[in-house]
Amino acid sequence: MRYLPTLMLGISFVLFSFTSTSAHPSISTAIDRFVSNLYPKGSHYFWVINNTTTESPEEIIVDLNTSVRNLPEETPTESRFLLLVVEGELFAAQKIPLNANVDCQSDEEV
């Protein structure tokens, strides 16, 4: 009887994990594809999402920082981009200054 709460919690994770998946399951895949195509093979890179805005259920705007090192001893090179992802696929990308003031809120929220 002591294990009943743990068992119920485990069952709820299994049952509800299918219904709680993201509306944009392939956003990270689209971003990673963009960054890996941007930098040479063998580079050490990572990316960080600064902000996002969902324009519609199919569209999302992503404010993204990237950092890359071609050699481990190099200083990382940072860049910043705005990406438009439509239905999980990259539709457009624009490089912007690292210190740009970007408002990723939709017009209705402003």
Side-chain angles (χ1 to χ4, degrees):
M1 206 47 120
R2 285 188 269 169
Y3 301 107
L4 186 59
T6 305
L7 180 63
M8 294 305 289
L9 182 62
I11 291 171
S12 67
F13 281 136
V14 170
L15 292 176
F16 295 113
S17 66
F18 297 111
T19 59
S20 65
T21 57
S22 172
H24 306 287
S26 56
I27 296 296
S28 62
T29 302
I31 293 170
D32 199 53
R33 240 185 259 137
F34 168 75
V35 176
S36 66
N37 287 330
L38 186 67
Y39 298 120
K41 190 172 186 164
S43 299
H44 301 280
Y45 66 85
F46 68 92
W47 48 268
V48 177
I49 296 175
N50 297 320
N51 199 358
T52 62
T53 299
T54 304
E55 293 294 316
S56 72
E58 298 84 27
E59 295 180 14
I60 188 167
I61 298 172
V62 180
D63 179 357
L64 180 78
N65 272 28
T66 64
S67 182
V68 65
R69 285 182 201 208
N70 292 325
L71 299 172
E73 62 276 357
E74 284 185 351
T75 303
T77 302
E78 295 185 16
S79 299
R80 189 168 172 198
F81 300 89
L82 287 179
L83 307 179
L84 174 59
V85 180
V86 179
E87 296 180 354
E89 296 294 323
L90 181 65
F91 186 77
Q94 178 179 357
K95 187 172 183 177
I96 60 174
L98 287 172
N99 60 352
N101 186 11
V102 176
D103 181 12
C104 276
Q105 294 182 356
S106 64
D107 291 337
E108 293 84 38
E109 295 176 7
V110 175

